[in-house]
């Protein structure tokens, strides 16, 4: 019997939608199945009160690969992005706030009053980050090699990567190999003397991870965050008009436009297998769907431990899957505000980007220390946006929404359950922000708190980890998600991984989905349809 679909994709998160769009664009018959009632996964715009809409866990979308936007025609599908000139506004407990702009020269000019040395060093550091990130963008675009039996394609990718490395130049090339395993605290300390500047830049290297600023490999996280975009030293602050859900709608519209079918409220409970090959999926309603390729946008741990028969993958691979590190440590607090908060030393223009509460490396490390022992620091690291400054459609006229990512809020609390700690976290976030924006609590009309447990329950993220797997050195490139399974083929013939648990990981880039689609198309061309 001929398979009804060339590919069935489990999960309509952004990478699942990207994979579906590329496969459908190539003429393949594609079905996407999503457990929730809408597509997008963590690309969510949530109603927190009547008339108030706020980003879900992800509040900026500037890392989306430019080729994905172009190839899938997302602008034509209605995607509108806003890129404020300000990237980071970093209030300080003592002294004036710090602002990082998209223009490195403007940033350097403002730094001069704080530190002449830092003002001189900043443009050079920004250029270095962009140079090293450009090399990583090549690494992110290739399929990791087969370490046991390298193919001709692997050799060609190696040549391309080598050429990109040589184009860096001798000195930057040495710097790339030295910087990738570094702790971000050391990386920024080599360039800057100001605690405020070190903290503001280093914060991006630990965002959404369970690592601290002194953890090895966090410099690579920062560089990866700047790969393929205009992030540079301060990072991106791009928002989607209508919230992250608008990007999800554009991706879904693109996939459907190319011919893909998307079904929501359709929960996959098992990958069906014949003769040790994935042949389709079984749904919660008892129906089965056959396909030549089964593609999972779920995280690899959940896929291998809940969807695949353990007899088929064997005890060793199942054991390895249980050890994929997914230590979720991020929560989200959304606030509906009756007016724009007044931060000391900030006109509204400076609040249009990311508002970062990370006044020093020590502040970050101490907040991280608490999480290691299952606690939330009383001095947390926070990153906030006020998207209504650039997109007034998210709230009633004259009101605002504040979207706050609370870092290092461990999935497993030591002394209490999240059901009891939810309100305490919300209070802590408001209290912390109010130190820098006096009167903020008086503006709050509604509040929403999303914990790591909520992320696991609502979005199916193991451990509540937004990246599907920790982006540490042990889960990087050929080791992501597991050594021997880094080429988007997962455990069984016919089963593929396209989510953030695959290389190159990360947040809203679309890179894993695009790369996986390329490999799936190659395999489908090699195999004649089953009969």
């Amino acid at each position: 019997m001929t398979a009804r679909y060339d590919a069935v994709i489990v999960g309509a998160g952004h990478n699942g939608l990207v994979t579906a769009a590329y496969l459908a664009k190539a003429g393949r018959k594609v079905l996407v199945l999503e457990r929730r009632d809408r597509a997008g996964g963590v690309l969510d715009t949530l109603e927190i009160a009547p008339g108030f809409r706020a980003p879900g866990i992800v509040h900026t979308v500037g890392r989306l690969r430019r080729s994905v936007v172009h190839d899938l025609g997302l602008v034509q599908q209605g995607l509108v992005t806003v890129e404020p000139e300000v990237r980071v506004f970093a209030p300080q407990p003592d002294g004036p706030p710090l602002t990082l702009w998209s223009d490195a020269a403007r940033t350097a000019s403002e730094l001069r009053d704080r530190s002449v040395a830092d003002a001189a060093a900043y443009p050079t550091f920004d250029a270095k980050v962009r140079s090293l990130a450009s090399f990583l963008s090549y690494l992110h675009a290739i399929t990791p090699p087969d370490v046991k039996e390298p193919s001709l394609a692997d050799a060609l990718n190696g040549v391309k990567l080598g050429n990109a490395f040589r184009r860096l130049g001798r000195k930057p090339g040495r710097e790339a190999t030295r910087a990738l395993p570094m702790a971000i605290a050391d990386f920024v300390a080599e360039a800057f003397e100001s605690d405020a500047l070190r903290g503001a830049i280093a914060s991006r290297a630990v965002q959404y991870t369970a690592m601290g600023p002194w953890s090895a490999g966090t410099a690579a996280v920062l560089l990866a965050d700047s790969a393929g975009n205009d992030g540079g030293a301060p990072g991106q602050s791009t928002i989607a008009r209508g919230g992250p859900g608008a990007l999800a709608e554009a991706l879904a519209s693109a996939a459907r436009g190319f011919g893909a079918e998307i079904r929501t409220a359709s929960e996959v409970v098992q990958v069906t297998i014949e003769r040790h090959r994935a042949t389709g999926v079984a749904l919660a309603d008892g129906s089965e769907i056959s396909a030549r390729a089964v593609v999972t946008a779920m995280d690899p741990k959940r896929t291998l431990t809940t969807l695949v028969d353990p007899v088929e993958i064997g005890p060793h691979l199942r054991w390895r899957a249980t050890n994929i590190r997914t230590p979720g440590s991020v929560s989200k607090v959304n606030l509906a505000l009756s007016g724009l908060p007044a931060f000391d030393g900030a006109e509204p223009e400076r609040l249009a980007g990311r508002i970062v509460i990370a006044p020093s490396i020590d502040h970050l490390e101490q907040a991280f220390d608490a999480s290691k022992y299952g606690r939330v620091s009383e001095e947390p690291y926070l990153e906030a946006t006020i998207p209504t400054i650039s997109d007034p459609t998210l709230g009633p006229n004259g009101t605002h929404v504040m979207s706050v990512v609370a870092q290092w809020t461990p999935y497993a609390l030591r002394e209490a359950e999240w059901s009891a700690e939810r309100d305490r976290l919300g209070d802590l976030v408001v209290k912390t922000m109010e130190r820098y924006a006096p009167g903020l609590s008086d503006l709050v009309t509604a509040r929403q708190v999303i914990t790591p447990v909520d992320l696991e329950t609502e979005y199916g993220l193991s451990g509540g980890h937004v990246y599907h797997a920790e982006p540490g050195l042990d889960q990087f490139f050929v080791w992501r998600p597991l050594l021997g399974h880094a080429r988007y083929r997962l455990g069984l013939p016919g089963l593929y991984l396209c989510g953030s648990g695959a290389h190159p990981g990360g947040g809203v880039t679309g890179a894993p989905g695009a790369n996986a689609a390329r490999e799936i198309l190659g395999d489908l061309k090699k195999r004649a349809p089953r009969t």
Side-chain angles (χ1 to χ4, degrees), residues 31 83 166 212 296 302 390 414:
L31 171 65
E83 300 181 8
R166 280 192 293 273
T296 173
R302 184 171 290 251
S390 302
R414 182 177 180 182

Side-chain angles (χ1 to χ4, degrees), residues 119-474:
Y122 185 82
T124 301
F125 181 83
D126 181 69
K128 179 168 75 171
V129 169
R130 292 175 186 276
S131 176
L132 299 182
S134 70
F135 167 70
L136 276 185
S137 67
Y138 282 94
L139 187 72
H140 288 182
I142 68 172
T143 299
D146 186 331
V147 293
K148 290 185 177 180
E149 298 179 2
S151 65
L152 177 59
D154 292 333
L156 292 175
N157 280 335
V159 170
K160 293 177 182 177
L161 197 60
N163 289 337
F165 187 80
R166 280 192 293 273
R167 283 195 294 272
L168 284 175
R170 183 173 297 179
K171 185 176 179 180
R174 290 197 304 266
E175 180 66 11
T177 57
R178 187 183 75 93
L180 291 177
M182 286 180 69
I184 191 61
D186 285 325
F187 190 63
V188 296
E190 290 182 344
F192 305 118
E193 62 182 17
S194 163
D195 284 340
L197 186 55
R198 290 178 180 181
I201 293 176
S203 64
R204 192 159 54 96
V206 296
Q207 186 83 0
Y208 297 116
T209 78
M211 297 185 283
W214 288 104
S215 299
T218 44
V221 176
L222 179 136
L223 296 173
D225 193 65
S226 295
N229 59 60
D230 187 39
Q236 283 279 17
S237 295
T238 305
I239 67 167
R241 189 175 294 277
L247 173 55
E249 291 172 5
L251 286 168
S253 179
R256 290 190 180 101
F258 292 126
E261 181 183 350
I262 301 174
R263 296 184 197 172
T264 57
S266 300
E267 182 179 4
V268 173
V269 295
Q270 186 178 17
V271 173
T272 57
I273 300 168
E274 295 179 12
R275 298 179 182 179
H276 198 61
R277 182 177 195 91
T279 57
V281 295
L283 277 63
D285 63 7
S287 62
E288 293 189 4
I289 298 170
S290 61
R292 296 174 60 197
V294 178
V295 189
T296 173
M298 295 170 59
D299 71 73
K301 175 183 283 189
R302 184 171 290 251
T303 297
L304 290 174
T305 60
T306 67
L307 293 189
V308 183
D309 187 341
V311 174
E312 294 290 344
I313 62 172
H316 182 64
L317 180 55
R318 184 178 172 84
W319 170 77
R320 292 178 67 196
T322 62
N323 287 319
I324 296 174
R325 295 191 299 111
T326 57
S329 63
V330 174
S331 295
K332 183 72 182 299
V333 177
N334 290 320
L335 305 174
L337 306 176
S338 59
L340 183 67
F343 283 81
D344 292 335
E347 59 271 23
E349 179 192 16
R350 293 179 185 263
L351 302 178
R354 290 156 30 238
I355 302 167
V356 173
I357 308 300
S360 68
I361 295 294
D362 286 345
H363 179 99
L364 291 171
E365 185 67 18
Q366 288 163 11
F368 168 61
D369 279 343
S371 73
K372 291 189 297 185
Y373 301 103
R375 295 191 294 269
V376 177
S377 172
E378 292 299 319
E379 298 287 340
Y381 154 47
L382 306 176
E383 181 185 275
T385 62
I386 308 176
T388 38
I389 293 176
S390 302
D391 182 9
T393 66
L394 295 176
N397 186 38
T399 66
H400 285 277
V401 165
M402 178 177 279
S403 166
V404 187
V405 173
Q407 182 69 26
W408 296 313
T409 58
Y411 174 86
L413 291 176
R414 182 177 180 182
E415 298 173 352
E417 296 294 331
W418 270 115
S419 58
E421 289 294 290
R422 185 185 307 274
D423 285 340
R424 195 182 81 82
L425 176 62
D427 292 341
L428 175 63
V429 166
V430 172
K431 181 182 74 172
T432 302
M433 297 300 296
E434 192 162 30
R435 293 176 195 165
Y436 306 96
L440 173 66
S441 60
D442 295 334
L443 300 176
V444 177
T445 59
R447 186 173 79 183
Q448 178 187 55
V449 180
I450 303 170
T451 72
V453 173
D454 297 327
L455 293 177
E456 181 176 63
T457 302
E458 178 66 19
Y459 300 103
L461 301 171
S462 294
H465 204 298
V466 178
Y467 287 163
H468 289 198
E470 184 73 352
L473 294 174
D474 61 324

